[in-house]
Amino acid sequence: MRSFIVFRTLLILILSILSEGAFFPTQAFSNDSNIAAEIRSLLEGNETQISVAGNPSPIHSRSTLLTFYFERAFLPGWSEALQPTCKARELLYLIRQAGFDGLVPEDYHLESLNTLFDKDMEGKSLAERELALLDILLSDAFLTYAHHLYKGKVHPEHLNGIWDIQTKQTEPSVLGRLNRALSGNHVKEELHSLRPKLLVYERMRLSMKKYHGMEKAYEDKNWIPLSIEESLKVTQRNEHVPHIREKLIFWKDLESYPVIAEQRDFYDSTMAEGVKKFQLRNGLQPDGILGRATIEALNQRPRQLMDKLAVNMERLRWLPDTTLQEFILVNIANYSLDLIRERDTLLHSKVIVGKSYRKTPVFNATMSYLVFSPTWTLPPTILKNDALPAIRKNINYLAQKNMKVIDHSGQEINPNSVDWQQMNGDNFPYLIRQSPGPQNSLGLVKFMFPNKYSVYIHDTPSRELFYREDRALSSGCIRIEKPFELAQLLLKDQPLWSDERIRSAMNGKKEQIVRLDRKIPVIILYLTFWTDSNHRENIRRDIYDRDIELLKLLRTPLIASVVGDKN
């Protein structure tokens, strides 16, 4: 093993000399050669981790570090004249700030680095081996932190559920960035440039800092979790009203106002406005009624919201760095759809998404056509689990739902000729298709973006469901509250499609396919926290219970060689 490493060292060293982009320090201090020997000894050894004051630190990018130090003849990059450089101290500061990106500073050797820097701050000289350790730890921390900022710490494929939005295809050379950071004074710039380019990400960092500052103040309040037996409405009295009022003021959903002693437990209209504001931020019906969901949201602590922020900042790091002029964004956890063009929201609509056991997947695709007055061919899952059991109980179910039985050539089959008691999803030889009309489960129009999940956006006859707070009610597809308005905007550039013609096509007796004059990206996301352009924090319930799993992986310490030596 050691002979192979020595051979590889020699080979890479020769190649680096011959290569045009090889990097060598222009100056070397007298002690640097001794430190270089220590660095080489540490990296060429068999250990997967190095120890500082008895604290083992796993090396995450060992192979990449070997390449980096080979190209600089193993000379240190983070110390001069036996002292850490200003760039070293800057990187330490950035590591300590990693929590504001929802990351874990300890993943970047914080404890070991603190030990070494504390010794230096106490005026004690670091030994050459300690300086070698410091150099390796800082370089490894830079590479690991850079990777996490650019692509995230957790890969989506390690999670339950479907996340099928293509991640960033190419990763910038972090070795190049490390060399530039060390050759100039650009440590902060090189790292920060790897964060997502989305404006919402920077706003979420500010929210993280805000909650971090609020955490101590919240703990000092010694608040206990609230609970009420019955919903509380305006003009009612309850012993918890003073506590609720305090929390609303703490979260800045309510400004402090004078309340006389006799009215402290009285739920007044001023306080109700603060409740509505809080409910709106938390995706709840802003009715001013203090029910179970509102009280549960009020019981959240800053630390819990920081965890929620961390999870969603990680999800943003998974997204590709692309700027879209026009796209449709569906946020599953927010039950919402937005049509965005040149950063302006042209349409905001409520949606209904998949039930907890028929979850809407996270993915992206391209919308290319609409279908007015659609028919609906029942998919296998719904056929097996819903339709066939209903037909076995009552064959009139088909007529009531305006459904026909057809064979695979499209010929209609008399339902009385089928032995329904023997039919299940595996042996049923036909298809069941629902005709266009007001009862059609797809409503009056569907919006098609072909994908392997057979998920699309469509109208629904069950309009009353949009008034519910919990709208995880579909079999996976996305039902939209404003189908006409969406069709109107998508066809705006096609003069033949007037409002009157759109309405007529939606109420036709036959399907009508209309191709769009452009392809529109559709992005289906799952975000339970984001900070909007007004710097208002929006908090949503984790309807598919995905936050806890991702948070656990984010908080799990890294092991050696997990970052990947591809850089």
Side-chain angles (χ1 to χ4, degrees):
M1 178 65 181
R2 184 173 179 80
S3 62
F4 170 75
I5 293 174
V6 171
F7 171 76
R8 184 182 176 193
T9 301
L10 180 61
L11 178 62
I12 295 179
L13 191 56
I14 292 171
L15 291 174
S16 68
I17 292 171
L18 296 175
S19 70
E20 194 174 309
F23 171 84
F24 288 96
T26 56
Q27 295 182 348
F29 290 85
S30 57
N31 298 94
D32 284 356
S33 58
N34 294 333
I35 299 171
E38 293 286 0
I39 291 173
R40 181 173 180 176
S41 173
L42 286 164
L43 286 176
E44 290 186 351
N46 293 324
E47 298 85 358
T48 58
Q49 56 188 21
I50 57 180
S51 180
V52 176
N55 175 46
S57 286
I59 300 302
H60 308 307
S61 302
R62 185 181 184 81
S63 178
T64 307
L65 287 172
L66 277 165
T67 301
F68 170 68
Y69 282 104
F70 291 158
E71 291 180 353
R72 56 185 296 115
F74 291 97
L75 290 170
W78 300 95
S79 65
E80 290 179 359
L82 298 178
Q83 286 188 318
T85 62
C86 291
K87 285 171 280 196
R89 300 181 196 283
E90 182 178 17
L91 180 53
L92 178 65
Y93 171 79
L94 294 173
I95 290 170
R96 289 171 175 169
Q97 299 285 303
F100 296 139
D101 283 289
L103 297 168
V104 182
E106 286 73 18
D107 282 340
Y108 316 115
H109 311 299
L110 180 61
E111 187 175 348
S112 294
L113 289 171
N114 278 338
T115 299
L116 294 169
F117 275 96
D118 286 348
K119 182 176 180 180
D120 177 72
M121 291 296 291
E122 291 168 3
K124 300 175 184 177
S125 297
L126 295 176
E128 290 167 348
R129 187 171 183 83
E130 289 175 319
L131 287 167
L133 289 168
L134 180 74
D135 222 270
I136 293 171
L137 292 173
L138 285 170
S139 295
D140 192 53
F142 183 99
L143 295 173
T144 308
Y145 194 10
H147 177 87
H148 289 174
L149 285 175
Y150 189 70
K151 295 194 81 169
K153 175 180 174 178
V154 180
H155 196 288
E157 70 182 13
H158 297 151
L159 299 168
N160 294 319
I162 295 171
W163 181 287
D164 198 18
I165 294 178
Q166 200 169 39
T167 58
K168 301 175 181 73
Q169 290 299 292
T170 57
E171 188 160 354
S173 171
V174 290
L175 273 184
R177 290 179 180 274
L178 178 54
N179 278 322
R180 287 195 298 273
L182 288 173
S183 61
N185 295 307
H186 310 299
V187 177
K188 179 180 178 180
E189 289 79 359
E190 291 294 342
L191 280 175
H192 285 187
S193 67
L194 293 167
R195 287 176 178 151
K197 303 302 186 292
L198 304 166
L199 295 177
V200 66
Y201 186 88
E202 289 304 317
R203 294 195 295 265
M204 288 166 75
R205 285 193 82 252
L206 293 176
S207 294
M208 184 74 84
K209 288 184 178 182
K210 184 179 88 170
Y211 286 145
H212 182 265
M214 297 173 75
E215 186 178 12
K216 177 66 167 59
Y218 189 97
E219 297 298 330
D220 290 344
K221 297 285 187 181
N222 289 319
W223 279 324
I224 59 172
L226 293 167
S227 64
I228 56 174
E229 294 182 4
E230 296 182 3
S231 295
L232 185 62
K233 299 179 181 179
V234 181
T235 72
Q236 292 183 326
R237 292 181 179 271
N238 188 286
E239 61 180 333
H240 294 306
V241 165
H243 187 174
I244 295 170
R245 187 183 291 113
E246 278 187 75
K247 281 200 169 185
L248 292 168
I249 293 170
F250 177 83
W251 290 117
K252 297 182 171 50
D253 291 300
L254 179 66
E255 291 186 12
S256 181
Y257 65 101
V259 179
I260 61 175
E262 293 80 6
Q263 297 292 318
R264 289 189 73 247
D265 66 346
F266 180 72
Y267 182 20
D268 58 50
S269 58
T270 301
M271 182 175 159
E273 291 306 310
V275 170
K276 291 176 184 178
K277 186 177 177 182
F278 177 84
Q279 289 172 327
L280 196 63
R281 287 197 307 108
N282 283 268
L284 304 171
Q285 190 70 29
D287 53 15
I289 298 173
L290 286 162
R292 180 180 57 82
T294 302
I295 295 300
E296 284 180 2
L298 273 169
N299 282 331
Q300 293 183 102
R301 311 168 76 90
R303 168 50 58 187
Q304 291 172 283
L305 296 179
M306 290 168 70
D307 288 342
K308 210 170 186 69
L309 261 167
V311 162
N312 288 283
M313 292 174 82
E314 178 77 352
R315 289 174 179 141
L316 292 180
R317 288 190 285 267
W318 295 342
L319 299 178
D321 278 333
T322 54
T323 302
L324 301 173
Q325 294 301 309
E326 182 182 33
F327 62 98
I328 291 171
L329 177 66
V330 176
N331 184 358
I332 298 169
N334 192 39
Y335 306 120
S336 68
L337 175 148
D338 293 279
L339 173 60
I340 300 169
R341 186 179 296 163
E342 295 179 351
R343 296 191 177 184
D344 288 333
T345 301
L346 304 185
L347 176 70
H348 177 78
S349 177
K350 294 178 181 179
V351 298
I352 292 166
V353 300
K355 302 171 185 176
S356 60
Y357 57 91
R358 292 181 183 174
K359 299 178 177 68
T360 299
V362 173
F363 70 101
N364 61 320
T366 303
M367 184 179 292
S368 53
Y369 67 99
L370 283 62
V371 180
F372 290 121
S373 298
T375 60
W376 181 47
T377 301
L378 276 63
T381 301
I382 295 177
L383 177 70
K384 179 179 180 178
N385 297 334
D386 302 328
L388 289 176
I391 296 168
R392 284 195 292 268
K393 290 181 180 178
N394 179 14
I395 196 171
N396 291 327
Y397 174 88
L398 290 165
Q400 291 167 0
K401 296 293 184 180
N402 199 19
M403 291 177 176
K404 297 178 180 179
V405 181
I406 60 172
D407 63 20
H408 289 274
S409 66
Q411 295 297 313
E412 187 172 351
I413 304 297
N414 184 342
N416 292 313
S417 68
V418 179
D419 186 358
W420 294 104
Q421 298 306 317
Q422 301 302 315
M423 292 296 108
N424 57 53
D426 299 321
N427 67 0
F428 187 62
Y430 306 118
L431 302 172
I432 295 181
R433 182 168 294 163
Q434 190 175 37
S435 300
Q439 281 189 310
N440 190 285
S441 294
L442 302 183
L444 305 179
V445 60
K446 63 179 180 179
F447 304 85
M448 300 303 293
F449 42 103
N451 59 84
K452 63 185 178 183
Y453 305 107
S454 298
V455 166
Y456 40 88
I457 298 166
H458 65 84
D459 182 24
T460 176
S462 305
R463 312 300 299 172
E464 72 282 356
L465 297 179
F466 290 108
Y467 293 100
R468 295 180 56 168
E469 279 185 5
D470 180 359
R471 296 195 295 277
L473 303 167
S474 81
S475 296
C477 281
I478 299 152
R479 307 177 196 169
I480 181 172
E481 183 185 29
K482 299 177 180 178
F484 171 78
E485 291 84 348
L486 180 57
Q488 188 182 41
L489 286 166
L490 294 178
L491 297 173
K492 187 176 181 180
D493 297 330
Q494 299 186 41
L496 292 177
W497 284 99
S498 63
D499 290 359
E500 182 180 351
R501 187 178 178 188
I502 291 173
R503 292 189 189 280
S504 175
M506 288 176 67
N507 291 280
K509 294 182 179 181
K510 291 184 178 180
E511 277 193 343
Q512 185 173 1
I513 297 174
V514 180
R515 300 198 178 278
L516 299 176
D517 61 358
R518 72 234 183 251
K519 293 188 175 181
I520 301 174
V522 178
I523 304 168
I524 302 175
L525 276 179
Y526 187 86
L527 291 178
T528 58
F529 192 116
W530 73 96
T531 306
D532 63 28
S533 56
N534 295 318
H535 293 273
R536 180 180 68 179
E537 287 90 11
N538 292 271
I539 305 144
R540 298 296 180 265
R541 191 168 63 86
D542 180 17
I543 60 174
Y544 290 165
D545 295 323
R546 288 177 172 168
D547 287 359
I548 294 175
E549 179 193 17
L550 179 50
L551 181 65
K552 183 178 179 181
L553 291 174
L554 271 176
R555 298 292 181 251
T556 300
L558 290 179
I559 58 174
S561 302
V562 298
V563 171
D565 293 323
K566 305 173 184 177
N567 307 305

